[in-house]
């Protein structure tokens, strides 16, 4: 942008452009909308440049046709495709326009990978119980699509500490950790006390009664007595992956 | 009661009592109020017989004069005295009527012990952090007054697991465990996974922000993935002691 | 573990083992994972030894295939099988691998019993209303599978006290009591005032409107004015049984 | 009002009044404000006629001067004075203007009684614990000021049922019952199951931790399994008295 | 009961009965369970005598077979039948055993009326909006089955005050008022300010978003600035009818 | 109304009417119910005169037959028809009685427009994300039916500010703004800081986990640090349109 | 800004400026910060131009010295001063720097007025009860400082409808209405049903128990069945005034 | 630890140690408690090695004497001292034992720095408003004590976007960002959309009414539509600093 603004000034200096037209073009440049407007959505094609990964499609609340149209717009620009919280119906629509897209049913993800910069270390995804795996997979696959090596460590809940302690080395080896747990959400506190790497905690809606759809795990994680823990929304595996990937891509 | 009812029937049979008067006395016996009515309080002197420990005075919301009057009524019967959630002002009133009562300021307890049946094993009281000690002490002292041997294990929160694991033997040796924690309330889950004895979890109001005065720790404990854990109200050290003592006094 | 560590030292002393290999084996021993890793689950075969009852399968959020695989791993070790919060679909999968498993539809339990140590007394399961029976049955059957004699006392809610008072003797005879109630959750307070045995209160989601899925009953039980009451999660019949069984198995 | 409207028509018919002026007066009559406007308050002097008891002053959030001015306006009309949620400072201001007003400190009430119609039966006020007495007294004194005979029955909580059952006759004798309880709020359910008279339940803020300032008792009462129970706001002794008095004054 | 107790004493006096047997029979009498035990339910046949109306069946959470069995037990005693929160499936089961039972689909009630004492005045049931009618009908039909004359006044919400004010006379004529409203739940405050009769407010779950399933209306009603208002649970038309009927049957 | 009251007085003066009959008619006039009573609904035909737009039908909780009957009553008076929160079933019933009614499925609106006064400026409807469009369309169509020009600006969420800033001119041109957002609900704060026109914020239930069905967006909007923002209920596009239209119709 | 950008181009065209320097200046212009940076605050002096009223100081959480420094910065520019949620200590600091500032203790406002454009109509501020007056005054004074004529209508709560209906004309005369109420928050619904002007509802924290610090009133207002009502935060009189003033200043 | 274990084996091999003693020492080594037990606290001196920064003292709920004793134990080992949520009283106690400790009143921090490894980039701390500065300073000072360069950017709330956009370069230059905001908590979403570095969001308790002590800001941040945002507890500036420092110290 800097160059073209300077270019305008140079063109004016050289008499190739008059100031009024130059001003009009300067304004146009400065306001240029990098978004492709699909009426119901403005696809933000500058996001990869600005934030390190292209726009991700949040599938919930969008019709299959809307999802597919946005997906196509993204793929057309040669960007990586990542659709979260989606389903079979959306995949059928997407597959017609993006035939090589893949659907991960458990993780509710549709994706199509392109070459992107690799993160520097390993992102470990730990899950407390078997029922937490769908959210853990959302995190793991998202992190992979974003260019990270992922190590999965599942069913290591705190009521059986030896399962966790037996994997201390893998835990210590990670550059970033995503820790997924429902119910009382204690796993991030225990892991947070073992490592010096940052821990991204993901509460899940696994549980019943006073687990309140994951609220209990969320609150527990926010109140962790371990100090290197930050938290994302309930069941938000993707969000954790986005933070972890941002960290893992730091030079 | 059974004897006197039979006694009445025998008196009637023997002509010592007429049926109308006998009925009146039978009703009286059956309705006899074991409570001493102080107007503002009905002191339940049968509770020791019925429940294994005399009535305990909940100090909050009572005037010093009310607390002292109930305390005197209990001591007059020769029962153990235990006043919880109390303060210096109440102690001053109590001390005038019950000179050998003791005040534990941190635990907010006034007590005077008498001989009562001893529990069979040790009640371990574990606390996650230094700030949880007042509630832990409420539990520990209450349990002692109720006739239990108490082992205290403080500042063993889950973010530094080694502190806890180093004490595994004391933990395993307890017949019942009271586990006190604020913030994310994870300690009962970890301890619950290590032992076969019952665990009574006590959430505390230690924390800030989204700890919501102990609600977070309470919810976490209710959703513990360890299966032998039951929970009492926030900061309710006494309640935990009452349950633990009931368990510890089982033959 | 102690013996084999000593054994290693003896082998080294005797020249049968060199120190480097000995160290490797010592580490291996100390880290030995008693868990069978099924990828999506780590079956904890030491739990029976450590906690008095084998690992229990929480059925919710697991696929029928996952439930069946874990069930088979448990049965293969000769352990008792207990699956909670499960359904017909899971039972069909389990039955193929564990033909003599039984399904209790109302209690949502699949189980297969083996010889285990018997509890010393009776676990009484009281339920306030007919609608609370499914949770009460989850508690009762779980307690039975865990080796306890169970006495069931249903539809004895506090709005008709005579129903409860008529059963005072059965109530007094129990070594531990599980008290199940929805709506205002008052039954544990009333029963708690009648007995000296510990009471495990189970709130249920029975009710509507401001019962908030059992939250009201849960809060009421946590605030019980009876002092020997501890509480588990909403509808958590199994959890109550686990605590009650731990108590009932105390020497 | 009917008479004067007809009077206007008759005056017009008789030529004593012209229609335009008659219309003006008719409008005035119909809109006549029975309120005395004190700028910061509009004292509703018709309330006694409309609702059976004069306007009651809610003391909280009003300055002593405001309370006193409204009190004087009410007393000037010869009405009964009832000020709730008030304090010593307000009483000092009121006493200057209404010298024979009385202050009940525990109940936080200032009152001055006048002759008013008597209720037909007895209003029983039951309180679960000693700490509930301030709210119970707010109810009892309010009911007395409103012309009702009141029977007080305090410290009869459900954890000691015999205390309650010993008073069955007084309970059965009441025409309306106000039942006051904090903590788990179970007393209205138990009393509601014993009587056929209507029960007005008053939750109190007595308790701590998960009693949430009376929310738990409130919810419990709303979910009572006894069917003749209605509920008022937390600590709202006055509100309960108002409903009970309305019932007790029914022919 | 008094007579037979006296009868026992007379029999003993007369030598017709020995004291030991007399005591046994006295205990039996005093403990006699007026409940019919159906295993899953204890039908309380004394409730009509004790509380003025027979046991009412809460349909939710019971199987059609359970509902029908309890219904039959009640009808067999000649009592009025009232089943709330029920459905077509239950009605089909009931109809086989109680052929003349009637089903009110909108109100979700099954009922069969018998002669019972009539209330003294009219119970007015007001509903704020058309969507509140199912709950209002639950109240109205319940009140009718309980022996009350009912006046229905629907769609008189506060945003169109003239609709309400036009019916002032019917409102003033009622002995008790049941006021049903969802959303902001303001109707009981407005009606409560117009009458001297007691008002039973019923919040409904009508609304969306921050109406939180009726919580908003419930809270609003509990905080009514009109003083003669008491509240029942969300959508609890039956509960309101029970209170209103108790009031309307007062001499 | 004024005229006819005067007319009555003039008729009395002129001897055409006697005072008793005049009084009766005066009362009738004053109480005249402008509502058409359909039993289950009182259609308020004066609302257009009183509030600037005819009664709007809230479709939820009403049967198709009820919706259609009310719709017909409104159309019969020549009023504009607007039905919100409705569905295909209701539309089928309405279409039989009002053949030229239109159904907007995404916005869940049935409408039929008549000539009504036009608002003075443009109502801008901004939506943060594609998933918020149904609520935004409810607002936009409602505003159009109420006589406003509407400008739609969708998918301009705060995480991609350039999308919003690129449309600054359209934002500045609006006389009133309706800003629709789910999740963290930040858009109204950002837009509110850019304009001097009033902003009506509409939280939506778009989100998951701790979005709590729109509660988070609602709370965020209520706590906006931008000062010209007012808020309506979650998903209440119609309500926002009603406020915006009232503002836009101000002279 | 447009002119100077063009000016730069013209200077380049005329050879008075070289392109590199021109670009630097263009960037500087485009990024020019209209804020005065006080380290702890950036005073936004463009706000009057952008939003129609200068920056308002939110006093809570700021030290008296901070408040005074910001106040001085605003007054130095000749802008109107408005400080909300402030106190005597802050006023003492402000008065030293801005001697003619005025303090309204009840409303917790410090202000100093300058000439600003007048709103077109009257802003009516209605308050339900005497205790709501502080918030109402915050609204009224804020609206006055912002250039509006204000009509105050206090103590017109819905439990005494005649007080409100007697003032119908003043209500109908307002261009915008601010309606302030605590407890059940019903007043905006009733007023909203009477007028066609927009209604800004302000819930207050007046109440106790389940009023939850104003949450009940807030929720009630958000769920108003009257359609022209929008809501601001609890006790946010200033916010209501800002919205009302924005509306009242619309041409 | 590895070396000494091998050392033991070598000593056994060499006959310098017998196996029984060797086993005892091996166990001792493996269980060695790196904690210094102060009775009320176990100071974890290994934390610096394990987690990259020594144990931090959470001041709230500890007595000044406890704080000072723990502080001395930490300083005695030569570790950096960081005490959060502390006050003047604690500082006075600490200063006697650690004379060169510094107290930051606004941030409520006591600290004494030692040489520790420096983070690689800049940690930017942004605060939305002046009232958020205490929490922002807790974060900033904590981060500095942990060895990070900190850039402070205060009073850049979203209602005045230009203040934020003017600082885009500083924002883009940070390696990690801590974003502090109360009220609607929107700032992390806006900043999160501008950068590729990870954002740690800190909600504050700044606000009133429905800000619910920071709950609203917390929920908003958890539901951020910007994808690289993770959240810590309300007012937890230290926690954010700990996560940010862990990230900033990654190679």
């Amino acid at each position: 942008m800097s160059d073209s603004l300077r270019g305008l000034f140079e063109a004016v200096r050289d008499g190739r452009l008059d100031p009024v037209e130059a001003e009009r073009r300067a304004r146009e440049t400065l306001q240029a909308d990098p978004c492709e407007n699909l009426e119901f959505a403005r696809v933000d094609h500058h996001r990869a440049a600005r934030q390190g990964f292209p726009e991700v499609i949040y599938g919930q609340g969008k019709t299959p046709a809307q999802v597919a149209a946005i997906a196509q717009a993204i793929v057309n620009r040669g960007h990586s495709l990542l659709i979260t919280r989606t389903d079979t119906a959306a995949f059928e629509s997407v597959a017609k326009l993006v035939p090589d897209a893949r659907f991960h049913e458990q993780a509710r993800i549709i994706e199509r990978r392109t070459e992107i910069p690799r993160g520097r270390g390993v992102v470990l995804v730990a899950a407390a119980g078997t029922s937490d795996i769908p959210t853990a997979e959302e995190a793991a696959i998202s992190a992979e699509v974003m260019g990270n090596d992922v190590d999965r460590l599942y069913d290591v809940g705190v009521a059986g500490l030896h399962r966790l302690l037996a994997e201390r080395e893998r835990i210590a080896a990670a550059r970033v950790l995503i820790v997924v747990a429902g119910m009382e959400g204690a796993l991030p506190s225990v892991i947070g006390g073992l490592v010096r790497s940052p821990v991204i905690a993901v509460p899940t809606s696994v549980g019943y009664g006073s687990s309140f759809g994951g609220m209990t795990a969320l609150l527990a994680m926010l109140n962790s007595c371990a100090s290197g823990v930050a938290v994302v929304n309930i069941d938000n595996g993707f969000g954790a992956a986005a933070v972890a990937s941002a960290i893992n891509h730091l030079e």
Side-chain angles (χ1 to χ4, degrees), chain A residues 5-135:
Chain A
L5 189 55
R6 186 178 301 181
L8 287 173
F9 281 114
E10 290 169 352
V12 168
R13 180 196 57 192
D14 301 347
R16 286 179 283 122
L17 199 63
D18 83 297
V20 172
E21 171 63 11
E23 187 205 357
R24 201 192 54 75
R25 289 201 205 164
R27 297 212 164 279
E28 205 173 88
T29 297
L30 291 163
Q31 289 168 0
D33 187 355
C35 293
E36 182 176 348
N37 197 334
L38 304 179
E39 291 265 325
F40 54 84
R42 291 159 193 259
V43 188
D44 180 359
H45 294 306
H46 277 207
R47 189 168 297 183
R50 197 173 71 245
Q51 300 210 264
F53 191 78
E55 181 158 354
V56 172
I57 307 174
Y58 171 73
Q60 200 167 289
K62 296 195 178 72
T63 64
Q66 289 174 333
V67 170
I70 306 173
Q72 191 176 36
I74 288 169
V75 170
N76 284 350
R77 298 282 177 124
H79 287 155
S80 287
L81 175 66
L82 180 57
I83 310 172
T84 62
R85 302 205 151 235
T86 189
D87 55 22
T88 306
F91 179 59
E92 282 166 9
S93 290
V94 170
K96 284 176 194 148
L97 304 180
V98 187
D100 54 348
R102 290 176 54 200
F103 181 39
H104 304 260
E105 189 168 7
Q106 192 182 25
R108 294 189 295 164
I109 281 176
I110 299 170
E111 48 96 356
R112 181 174 168 282
R113 305 178 192 194
T114 60
E115 277 297 298
I116 58 169
R118 304 297 302 171
R120 294 172 56 117
V122 166
V123 175
L124 181 130
V125 180
T130 302
S131 307
D132 298 314
I133 292 180
T135 296

Side-chain angles (χ1 to χ4, degrees), chain A residues 3 12 39 59 64 71 84 106 110 123 141-142 150 157 174 206 210 220 243:
Chain A
D3 292 324
V12 168
E39 291 265 325
T84 62
Q106 192 182 25
I110 299 170
V123 175
I141 294 168
S142 294
V150 172
V206 168
S210 61
V243 180

Side-chain angles (χ1 to χ4, degrees), chain A residues 229-241:
Chain A
V229 176
V231 187
V232 297
N233 195 3
I234 298 164
D235 291 335
N236 190 5
F238 160 70

Side-chain angles (χ1 to χ4, degrees), chain A residues 133-152:
Chain A
I133 292 180
T135 296
E137 280 298 303
E138 182 184 303
I141 294 168
S142 294
E144 287 170 348
V145 176
M146 289 169 177
N148 300 281
D149 292 329
V150 172
D151 184 17
R152 287 159 168 90

Side-chain angles (χ1 to χ4, degrees), chain A residues 190-212:
Chain A
V190 171
I191 290 183
L194 298 174
V195 298
R196 62 171 68 201
S197 293
V199 171
I200 311 302
V202 190
T204 72
S205 52
V206 168
Y208 58 91
S210 61
S211 81
F212 296 125

